Amino acid sequence: MTGDIRSLATGLFRERFGRAPRALAVAPGRVNLIGEHTDYSGGHVLPMAVDRHVVVAFDAAGGQASRFCSADFPEMAEFDQRAPSSCGAGHWTNYVMGPAGVFSSQGRDIPAIDAAVAADLPKGAGLSSSAALEVASGLAFLSTAGCAGEVSPRSLALACQEAEHRYAGVKCGIMDQLSVACAEDGKAMYIDCHNLFVKTVELPAAMAVLVVDSGVPRKLAEAAYNQRREDCESAARKLSKELGRRVRLAEVTHDELNEFGRSALDKTELRRARHVVGEELRSSRAVDCLRRGDLEAFGELARESHRSLAEDFEVSCPELDKLVAAACRIEGVFGARLTGAGFGGAAVVFCRADGVGPISAELTAAYRARTGIETRPVLVRPSAGARVEQLR
Ligand code: GLA
C-alpha cells in the first residue's frame, strides 16, 4: 500500500515542480491500544505505529519560500519556513510549517523546500495523520538542512509536539509524535510520558488489531481537548495542595483520590481525575496481560477504558458507543474502545487473529444496522517509525 503512496507523492512532485524529488520522508500513523488521555498528565500509554503512512516527497527549493502541495487538497501552500504564521485551526498547512518554525526558533538554519504530500492514512479518524504529517515534514526540513542525523527521534517528536501547540493550537501530549517518530517494527510501545522512557511490547500472535472509523467527524475537538487538559491540570494543582507535594494527576493513587477528591475537586475535575487514575492502572495491567497472553483480561480492560472515557472523561459520542458495543457482542472479539482524542474518530477492536474476515463483516453489518453508517474495519500491524529514504 505504501508503495502506491510513494509513487503518488513522487508523481505529484514531478507534476507540480517539473523535476524529480531528492528523497522521501515516510511517517506512519499510530493507534493507541490503551492509556487514553493520560499522556499530558504524566501517565503511561501503549500506542503502536501502524502500516499506513504519510509520504512527503521533497527537494531543496530554488527560491526563498517553501512550497507544499498535497494529493488531498487543491491549493499549493507557500510560506517562509524561518518564520511561518499559523493558518488558523484545522488547516493542513499548520502541520507542515509548524516543525520548520520550531526548528528555526531553536536557532537552526532551515532552508526552503519544495514538497508533495500523499497519504494512505485516513484523516480525522483517530490514526494521528496530523502527527505523521508533522514528523514527515520535520524530517524533510532537517534532511535538507543536512542535520537530520543530529536530531534524535525523541527531539524530533518534542519539536513536533511544540509545533502542534503553537501552530495548530492543540495542547496535545507527547504520545502521537513520539510513537510516530520512535516506533520499532513489530512492537507496541509502553511509554512513560513523564520521562519519555519507552519499553517495547510484543503483541500476541493470536490477537489482531482493527481500527474502525465511526464516520463521525471530530467537530470542535481542539477546544474540547484543551478543556480536558485544563480540567486535569487544575485537578492536579488542587490535589497537590491537599497532599502537600507536587503531583502529576497520573501518579495520584486510588486511595489518595478517595480521601481528598470529594472535598478538593469540583464534580467535573473529580470525574476527569477518576478516569486518569483508573486508566493509569489499566494500562499497566494491560501490558502484563499482553506479556502473559491473557487476551480475555486485556479485552476487559479495553472495555473498562471505553466506559471510563465515555462516562467520566466524556470524550465519546453515541456512534462510538454503538460501535464499541456492537464489536464487543461479536464472538471472537476480546474488547474494544475508542482510540485517540475521541469526540468522533475511530475505535480500536481487539479480536482473534484467525477470525478477522468474518468479524469485520459482522461488525460492518451491525454498525450499519444501528446507525446507518458504512464503515470498513482496517487491520493494522505494528510498524517502524518515521525515516528518510534517499532517491538520488
Ligand atoms: C490526541 C493527542 C495525544 C493524546 C490523545 C488522547 O491524540 O494528540 O497527545 O492526548 O489525544 O490519549
Side-chain angles (χ1 to χ4, degrees):
M1 181 73 89
T2 300
D4 300 342
I5 301 306
R6 283 187 176 83
S7 29
L8 188 59
T10 307
L12 183 65
F13 187 98
R14 279 180 192 280
E15 183 191 309
R16 294 297 190 88
F17 302 112
R19 63 187 196 283
R22 184 178 61 77
L24 303 176
V26 181
R30 69 93 190 91
V31 60
N32 189 20
L33 307 185
I34 199 161
E36 211 67 84
H37 281 281
T38 58
D39 58 349
Y40 49 82
S41 289
H44 290 73
V45 295
L46 185 65
M48 69 183 210
V50 297
D51 47 348
R52 296 286 190 115
H53 298 87
V54 167
V55 174
V56 174
F58 65 95
D59 188 16
Q64 294 298 304
S66 288
R67 298 182 294 175
F68 270 71
C69 59
S70 161
D72 296 319
F73 302 97
E75 76 273 17
M76 170 90 85
E78 210 167 318
F79 57 90
D80 176 359
Q81 69 289 340
R82 284 159 310 191
S85 46
S86 167
C87 288
H91 204 280
W92 71 277
T93 51
N94 290 331
Y95 301 107
V96 303
M97 62 173 69
V102 171
F103 294 136
S104 298
S105 65
Q106 290 172 347
R108 293 187 184 278
D109 187 14
I110 298 296
I113 64 172
D114 287 337
V117 182
D120 60 2
L121 195 57
K123 280 172 284 300
L127 284 176
S128 212
S129 58
S130 47
L133 185 54
E134 284 159 357
V135 170
S137 307
L139 272 179
F141 281 110
L142 289 177
S143 160
T144 311
C147 57
E150 292 164 22
V151 178
S152 67
R154 183 192 288 202
S155 306
L156 172 64
L158 285 165
C160 290
Q161 180 196 22
E162 189 180 333
E164 181 133 354
H165 290 193
R166 273 167 47 183
Y167 291 86
V170 180
K171 303 283 179 211
C172 63
I174 190 63
M175 171 173 73
D176 301 350
Q177 291 81 5
L178 198 72
S179 44
V180 167
C182 305
E184 264 182 55
D185 195 17
K187 304 205 168 114
M189 309 163 76
Y190 186 51
I191 306 173
D192 178 334
C193 296
H194 174 54
N195 54 25
L196 306 190
F197 288 165
V198 176
K199 288 184 190 152
T200 54
V201 179
E202 296 216 18
L203 301 187
M207 184 181 84
V209 180
L210 304 176
V211 175
V212 195
D213 189 357
S214 67
V216 179
R218 292 193 275 153
K219 273 186 239 114
L220 302 175
E222 290 88 357
Y225 181 93
N226 290 346
Q227 183 59 52
R228 294 300 180 281
R229 183 171 181 149
E230 274 175 35
D231 296 343
C232 290
E233 287 172 351
S234 83
R237 272 194 305 274
K238 291 180 181 173
L239 288 169
S240 296
K241 240 191 214 158
E242 295 296 319
L243 293 164
R245 63 178 204 281
R246 240 187 104 187
V247 287
R248 290 168 272 115
L249 193 52
E251 65 178 328
V252 172
T253 64
H254 257 298
D255 289 348
E256 287 168 340
L257 190 61
N258 281 341
E259 190 172 345
F260 300 110
R262 270 182 214 291
S263 55
L265 305 180
D266 70 28
K267 277 201 180 111
T268 304
E269 290 162 344
L270 183 60
R271 292 160 89 170
R272 306 299 185 244
R274 215 158 45 204
H275 166 73
V276 172
V277 170
E279 187 76 354
E280 184 63 3
L281 216 67
R282 282 188 288 275
S283 6
S284 84
R285 288 187 181 147
V287 171
D288 290 343
C289 292
L290 289 178
R291 293 209 165 118
R292 285 201 314 271
D294 188 346
L295 299 178
E296 297 296 338
F298 177 76
E300 178 55 32
L301 291 166
R303 291 194 289 262
E304 279 171 24
S305 167
H306 184 82
R307 274 196 293 278
S308 173
L309 286 160
E311 288 163 19
D312 280 339
F313 219 69
E314 298 177 285
V315 292
S316 189
C317 63
E319 292 83 355
L320 272 172
D321 292 344
K322 287 180 187 163
L323 185 54
V324 167
C328 291
R329 224 159 260 156
I330 297 173
E331 174 82 39
V333 168
F334 303 114
R337 49 181 290 280
L338 74 83
T339 184
F343 313 106
V348 57
V349 175
F350 305 105
C351 70
R352 289 176 60 133
D354 59 5
V356 167
I359 288 169
S360 298
E362 199 177 332
L363 181 53
T364 302
Y367 189 56
R368 186 193 301 125
R370 286 171 182 226
T371 62
I373 300 174
E374 278 303 323
T375 190
R376 201 168 53 87
V378 178
L379 173 66
V380 288
R381 294 193 174 80
S383 298
R387 66 248 171 214
V388 170
E389 298 171 1
Q390 301 295 336
L391 296 175
R392 61 181 157 87

